[in-house]
Amino acid sequence: MVWPVGNNHGMCSSTVRRFTSDDRPRIKYIDSRAFGVAPDPDDMVEPWLDSYGGSWGYVAEIDGEVVGGTAAFDMEVSIPGSDPLPAGGVTGVGVLPTHRRRGLLNSLMQRQLSDMRSGGLVMATLTASEAPIYGRFGFGRIAVSAKREIDTTRAQLREDFTPSGSVRFIDVEEARRVMPGLRRRSGRDIPAMVTVPDSIWERIFADYEADRDGASDRFYAVHETAGEIDACVMYRVVSTWTERGPSYTVKVSMAFGLNRRAEMELWAFVTSLDLVRKVEGFRPSDDFLEWMFSDMRAVETVSVQDHNWGRILDPVAAFEARTYPVDGQLVIGFRDRTFEDQSGAYRLTIADGRGRCERCDDQPSIVADAADWASVYFGAVDARVLAAAGRVEGDADRAALHFATDRAPFSDVNY
C-alpha cells in the first residue's frame, strides 16, 4: 500500500511505501546528505539501517525517486511501577535537504505511527536530533540526561563508605554474555528506559575505531556480591599528558546495576583508577554521585539535555498499564492532533494503585495535548509545572499526586 503525500504543490507524484532491501543504498545516501555524515564502507554493523528492514520501515518517493525515510526498532520501554510496554523506537528519520517543505516528513510519520497503532503498540519513543520537530506528532520529552564530570583529585569517598562486594574486569566475550541481560533487568524500575536492540549491542561490542573519537577501545568491568554479578560498567580512556604529568579522562558509556549500592561501588572504582583526573558520563536527574563524596563539589553538572521522547499510541492501554501512588478518580482531557479519534475525555479510576481507564462524556478534570501527557505519564514533569507554563488546563494538583513516580525517568542509549 502506498500513501499520497500532501503539499507537493502539484509539481510531482509523491507516495510513502514500505522499505525494501533494494532501498538500502538510497537510504544511506539520504542519511549522509540529511545529517552530514559520510557512511563508512567498512562498517558492517549499522543498526539504524538494519531497522529499516523491520516492521516499521518506510520511504517517501517523488516521481519514483526515494527522497526520505523513517524506521523503528522493536523495543520495550519501562513505565512507572509495572512491566515494560512494547514500543516502536523511531530512528533514521531523514529527508533530502533538496526536498523539504513538501509534506514528506508529515506523511512518513503519520504512516509510521498509524501502522504502529493498528499493530498494537502502546508507545513510540525516539531520541531527537532537534527538539522542536516531534511535538507536533504527539511526542513529549519523557527523560532528561545530565552530563556529569567528576574531579578525581577532590573525589574522596565518605568515611563511612564500606564496599559490600568486589570488582573485576571482563573481556568482550563475557560482556556479550552478561551485560544485555543485566541491563534489561536493571532498567525495569527506571521509567523511560528502553531495551537495547541486538543490533545496537552488536555495534557496541564491535567497538569500531570510528566510534572511539580519539579514545581507547572499551573496557568492561563488573561488580559482584557473594559471587553474583549485580552491576556493570563500560568505559573508554582518553590519555593526555601535560607538563605536570598524566591527566587521563575516563568516559563512561554505560553504568547500571540491580541496585544503587552495587552501581555506586563501580563509580567508586572508576574514580580511583591510576593517572585519571576526570571521569565523565551521563546520569539521571536523581543521581547519587555527588552524595557519595565528602566534597560534593567534586561532581559538576556540565549540561542537562532532553534525551528520550515518547508518544502515547493507545491512551486506554497506557493509562491502565502503569501503577499510581494515590487512589482516586481523574477525568483526563486528551488532545491528539495526529489521531483525532483519540481526542476526548478518559475516566481514570485508580484503586489499590492500579488504574481502569474508559472513554466518557464527562467534563475533563485536566486537559493537555498528547505530547504533554506523555511527559506527565513517565514522571518527566510535574503537571503543576505545565500548568504554570500554560500547557495544561484544570486540576494540575490532583494530576501531580496521581502521576508522581519513585524514580526519575532516564535512558542511556541513543537510537
Side-chain angles (χ1 to χ4, degrees), residues 16 18 23 37 118 161 191 196-197 226 233 263 268 288 295 315 341 354:
V16 171
R18 285 194 177 273
D23 296 319
V37 177
S118 61
F161 181 86
V196 180
V233 64
E263 187 182 341
F288 56 70
D295 183 357
D341 62 306
R354 303 298 311 199

Side-chain angles (χ1 to χ4, degrees), residues 123-313:
M123 293 281 178
T125 68
L126 56 83
T127 51
S129 300
E130 295 183 78
I133 295 175
Y134 295 99
R136 66 180 187 267
F137 303 113
F139 285 87
R141 188 181 76 180
I142 63 173
V144 297
S145 181
K147 185 176 182 180
R148 311 279 266 174
E149 290 186 355
I150 305 172
D151 180 352
T152 62
T153 64
R154 303 174 66 173
Q156 182 67 38
L157 295 170
R158 290 165 49 91
E159 291 182 0
D160 58 354
F161 181 86
T162 303
S164 61
S166 59
V167 177
R168 66 179 175 89
F169 284 107
I170 60 174
D171 60 22
V172 67
E173 294 308 316
E174 186 172 1
R176 288 178 187 271
R177 293 194 300 271
V178 304
M179 295 191 79
L182 190 74
R183 186 191 173 281
R184 179 182 288 269
R185 292 169 60 196
S186 69
R188 291 177 64 89
D189 296 329
I190 304 173
M193 185 72 82
V194 296
T195 53
V196 180
D198 290 343
S199 56
I200 291 183
W201 278 119
E202 186 60 32
R203 176 95 198 194
I204 289 171
F205 294 129
D207 198 12
Y208 290 115
E209 181 72 32
D211 293 340
R212 297 176 187 174
D213 196 23
S216 69
D217 53 357
R218 281 198 174 95
F219 293 91
Y220 308 93
V222 296
H223 179 275
E224 294 178 314
T225 302
E228 296 293 328
I229 297 175
D230 52 11
C232 300
V233 64
M234 64 172 71
Y235 64 89
R236 303 184 190 277
V237 177
V238 178
S239 303
T240 304
W241 287 80
T242 70
E243 293 83 353
R244 292 178 174 269
S247 182
Y248 289 8
T249 297
V250 166
K251 294 179 176 288
V252 175
S253 307
M254 281 186 175
F256 48 86
L258 299 181
N259 59 78
R260 286 178 167 177
R261 179 67 189 197
E263 187 182 341
M264 184 171 66
E265 291 185 21
L266 277 180
W267 280 94
F269 165 72
V270 296
T271 56
S272 69
L273 293 170
D274 292 339
L275 311 182
V276 172
R277 298 295 177 263
K278 183 172 70 175
V279 177
E280 61 182 45
F282 290 91
R283 302 291 297 160
S285 58
D286 60 347
D287 193 13
F288 56 70
L289 282 182
E290 61 188 5
W291 300 96
M292 59 188 282
F293 301 114
S294 299
D295 183 357
M296 297 178 69
R297 295 181 182 179
V299 182
E300 180 182 0
T301 300
V302 178
S303 65
V304 178
Q305 60 190 34
D306 60 89
H307 185 79
N308 209 12
W309 295 68
R311 210 275 186 219
I312 296 173
L313 295 172

Side-chain angles (χ1 to χ4, degrees), residues 56 75 91 149 181 369 386:
W56 320 111
M75 291 178 158
T91 188
E149 290 186 355
D369 288 342
L386 293 180

Side-chain angles (χ1 to χ4, degrees), residues 27-170:
I27 286 296
K28 292 183 71 171
Y29 173 86
I30 291 169
D31 186 70
S32 68
R33 278 13 179 218
F35 294 97
V37 177
D40 185 345
D42 295 329
D43 283 358
M44 301 305 294
V45 181
E46 297 173 303
W48 66 271
L49 185 56
D50 291 341
S51 68
Y52 272 93
S55 304
W56 320 111
Y58 306 89
V59 295
E61 291 181 319
I62 290 183
D63 292 335
E65 180 185 12
V66 174
V67 296
T70 183
F73 295 102
D74 287 310
M75 291 178 158
E76 291 182 339
V77 60
S78 295
I79 61 174
S82 194
D83 292 335
L85 288 175
V90 177
T91 188
V93 182
V95 174
L96 281 177
T98 52
H99 290 74
R100 289 178 178 157
R101 305 292 186 267
R102 304 189 189 189
L104 296 171
L105 177 62
N106 286 342
S107 295
L108 282 165
M109 294 300 298
Q110 288 172 3
R111 169 70 186 275
Q112 184 182 56
L113 292 174
S114 294
D115 284 1
M116 286 181 177
R117 180 189 174 201
S118 61
L121 292 185
V122 180
M123 293 281 178
T125 68
L126 56 83
T127 51
S129 300
E130 295 183 78
I133 295 175
Y134 295 99
R136 66 180 187 267
F137 303 113
F139 285 87
R141 188 181 76 180
I142 63 173
V144 297
S145 181
K147 185 176 182 180
R148 311 279 266 174
E149 290 186 355
I150 305 172
D151 180 352
T152 62
T153 64
R154 303 174 66 173
Q156 182 67 38
L157 295 170
R158 290 165 49 91
E159 291 182 0
D160 58 354
F161 181 86
T162 303
S164 61
S166 59
V167 177
R168 66 179 175 89
F169 284 107
I170 60 174

